[in-house]
Structures are given as C-alpha cells and as structure tokens.
C-alpha cells in the first residue's frame, strides 16, 4: 500500500507535519509525493521483488484522478485505492463528503482501469453508508474504511497549533472505535467487500474488524509505534483465535457480529 500518488510532484506542507498525541498520531503531510512518473520507476523495483502493490492515488480534478489511475493501471499495479478523503488538502477532503461526486469520480476511474478499484472513505461525514453506497453504485470493487479523523493539537507554551496546517488527521488506537463503527455501518448497507483500517495494532483489533464486516485489513500507524513485527504478531494471534474457536477460514468470521445480533432478536 503506497502513500497517495498524484499527477505531479508535490512537496506537501512544511513541518511540523506529524505529532504524537494520546492514543495515536496526528498528521498533516499535505499529500507529499514524487508524482506518478517518478513513482512508476519505484513500482518497477517493487515488482522485481514480487510484492503485490496497491497504489493509493488522488487528483485535484476528475480528469487528474482518471489520468493518474490509468497510468498506474497500465504500469501494472495490482490494485488501486482512490483517496477521496485526505483531510488536509482543500478539494480532496471535500470530495469525500459529497456522495454524488464520489460516484462520478469512481465511475470515471473505473471506466479506464482494468485493476480492482477500492475507494477509501472519510470518517468525517455524518452518514458514511451513503458515501459507501455512492462508491458502490459508481462501480467500486471494494471500500476502504476509513481515512483519518480531523483533529488538532496545541502547544501550550507557544500558544499555537502544533501542525503547520493547524488541522490534521488522527490515526492509531484513538481512531479505532470510530473506524470500527464505520465498517459496521457499511457492512449493513453495501454488498462489496470492505477493507478495515484505523488503529489496528493487535490481533484482537483485527478480529474485531473482521467480526464487524471487514474482509481484509490495513495496518499503518502501528508500524511506526510497534515496528514491522506487528504483522507477524497479528497473524499469529488471529491463527490462534481461529484454532481455539474452530474456524477454518477467515471468511467464516467476516461480519459474524451482525448475525449474533439477529439471533438475539435485537
Ligand atoms: C494525509 C493524507 C491522508 O489521506 C490522511 O489520512 C492523512 C494525512 C496527508 O498527506 O496530509
């Protein structure tokens, strides 16, 4: 999974761009990236290692979304993730709150790529299921839930906001209950698969997301806090959990918490 790629190189916001807060990380990078042309060189090296690459991408206009996605698709990324929900860049964050625009961009991109297309949704909306349905109607193959939650921190000595952009996106454990609720709501409203992300750092977090309805997971902030071993630890814990409870496939527990609710007649 890459940091989001845009059409042109982009420096992003000046520092400070990342700050540790209780229960997570706050960041406002401003979508820094080397641009799609440079990224295609990096992609060739990644492909040499045989690693599946999912490219996150964004645009400032519909045409840019389409152009970046087409180039990534032609160059052979394994899947695409449409970032319509960066909280720190004007225009991109706004898009994620507008179901009609999400559907239009999804449709336009889907029409010119031959790779699976996931749409990453923002938690900064009052009805995430509505945006999820719009992406589904636009032809998304899956939904990633969720991007970061708008948040801020203030330095009490300087008496100023810490991030140069003032407002940033909150990730990590503090985001998890919100993101889990988003996955839950989406699972009840859409048919396409959901990729859960937001504060997953232990196998218990992973199981919660699967039970809420995610059928794949992403891990980001936990890598910065716990290191790369987090993947092995989560996989081992998940395996133990499944053996203990007699599950053979991860798919058996996807959305299972919803069924319990029905059985209890609530
Ligand atoms: C940035 C982008 C995101 O999609 C996000 O969730 C947080 C920060 C950024 O580059 O600023």
């Amino acid at each position: 999974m890459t940091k989001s790629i845009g059409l042109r190189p982009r420096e992003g916001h000046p520092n400070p761009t990342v700050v540790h807060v209780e229960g997570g990380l706050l960041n406002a990078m401003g979508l820094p990236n080397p641009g799609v042309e440079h990224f295609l060189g990096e992609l060739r090296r990644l492909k040499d290692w045989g690693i599946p690459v999912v490219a996150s991408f964004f645009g400032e206009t519909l045409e840019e979304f389409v152009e970046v996605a087409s180039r990534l698709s032609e160059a052979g990324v394994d899947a695409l993730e449409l970032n319509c929900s960066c909280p720190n860049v004007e225009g991109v964050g706004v898009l994620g709150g507008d179901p009609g625009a999400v559907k239009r961009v999804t449709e336009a991109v889907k029409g010119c790529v031959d790779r699976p297309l996931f749409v990453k949704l923002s938690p900064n909306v009052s009805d995430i299921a509505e945006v999820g349905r719009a992406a589904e109607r636009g032809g998304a193959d899956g939904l990633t839930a969720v991007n970061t939650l708008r948040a801020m921190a203030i330095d009490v000595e300087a008496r100023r906001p810490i991030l140069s952009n003032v407002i940033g996106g909150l990730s990590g454990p503090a985001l998890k209950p919100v993101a889990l609720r988003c996955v839950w709501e989406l699972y009840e409203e859409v048919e396409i698969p959901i990729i859960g992300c937001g504060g997953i750092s232990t196998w218990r977090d992973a199981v919660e997301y699967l039970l809420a309805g995610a059928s794949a997971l992403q891990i980001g902030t936990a890598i910065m806090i716990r290191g790369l071993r987090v993947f092995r630890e989560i996989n081992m814990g998940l395996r133990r959990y499944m053996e203990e409870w007699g599950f053979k496939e991860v798919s058996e527990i996807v959305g299972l918490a919803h069924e319990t609710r029905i059985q209890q007649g609530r």
Side-chain angles (χ1 to χ4, degrees):
M1 195 69 234
T2 69
K3 177 79 180 157
S4 300
I5 311 294
L7 189 56
R8 285 173 293 275
R10 190 184 158 101
E11 201 152 312
H13 298 312
N15 283 325
T17 49
V18 184
V19 47
H20 281 262
V21 294
E22 207 176 332
L25 276 187
L26 196 51
N27 88 87
M29 311 290 292
L31 295 171
N33 78 99
V36 67
E37 185 63 43
H38 179 97
F39 173 73
L40 296 184
E42 292 186 18
L43 179 64
R44 278 192 290 277
R45 294 209 300 280
L46 291 173
K47 291 243 118 194
D48 284 347
W49 293 344
I51 300 167
V53 180
V54 183
S56 169
F57 70 100
F58 71 96
E60 285 172 35
T61 60
L62 186 139
E63 291 72 27
E64 274 189 29
F65 269 102
V66 168
E67 185 173 348
V68 179
S70 312
R71 293 184 65 184
L72 292 166
S73 171
E74 279 161 21
V77 295
D78 296 278
L80 291 155
E81 186 181 84
L82 193 159
N83 182 0
C84 61
S85 53
C86 171
N88 311 319
V89 174
E90 208 152 303
V92 183
V94 178
L95 167 64
D98 178 344
V102 168
K103 176 169 177 278
R104 281 193 298 279
V105 176
T106 306
E107 235 165 14
V109 170
K110 188 62 194 168
C112 47
V113 298
D114 62 355
R115 303 284 148 161
L117 176 66
F118 312 136
V119 175
K120 187 168 186 177
L121 301 175
S122 172
N124 304 309
V125 295
S126 50
D127 185 359
I128 194 165
E130 189 188 356
V131 188
R133 280 194 306 269
E136 184 176 46
R137 284 198 301 269
D141 298 292
L143 301 174
T144 304
V146 289
N147 212 312
T148 52
L149 197 54
R150 274 164 63 79
M152 74 178 294
I154 293 178
D155 182 316
V156 296
E157 274 75 38
R159 291 182 279 281
R160 295 282 183 280
I162 297 178
L163 295 170
S164 75
N165 190 56
V166 180
I167 291 174
L170 177 68
S171 63
L175 173 61
K176 197 196 81 181
V178 176
L180 193 65
R181 181 266 302 167
C182 291
V183 170
W184 177 279
E185 289 182 338
L186 288 165
Y187 187 78
E188 303 221 326
E189 294 286 335
V190 300
E191 301 294 324
I192 52 179
I194 301 162
I195 303 168
C197 72
I200 299 170
S201 32
T202 68
W203 66 265
R204 287 186 165 274
D205 298 331
V207 172
E208 272 192 89
Y209 269 90
L210 295 167
L211 294 172
S215 43
L217 307 171
Q218 291 180 10
I219 297 169
T221 302
I223 303 170
M224 295 178 73
I225 295 170
R226 300 161 62 100
L228 283 167
R229 67 197 160 109
V230 69
F231 294 103
R232 188 182 307 271
E233 287 170 2
I234 288 178
N235 277 334
M236 280 168 50
L238 180 55
R239 188 179 298 267
R240 265 197 314 275
Y241 173 85
M242 292 187 36
E243 279 164 9
E244 188 180 336
W245 290 94
F247 296 111
K248 293 201 166 44
E249 303 281 341
V250 168
S251 59
E252 290 169 41
I253 63 172
V254 171
L256 205 54
H258 294 256
E259 284 179 28
T260 315
R261 211 169 57 118
I262 293 161
Q263 279 161 15
Q264 289 172 350
R266 274 195 272 143

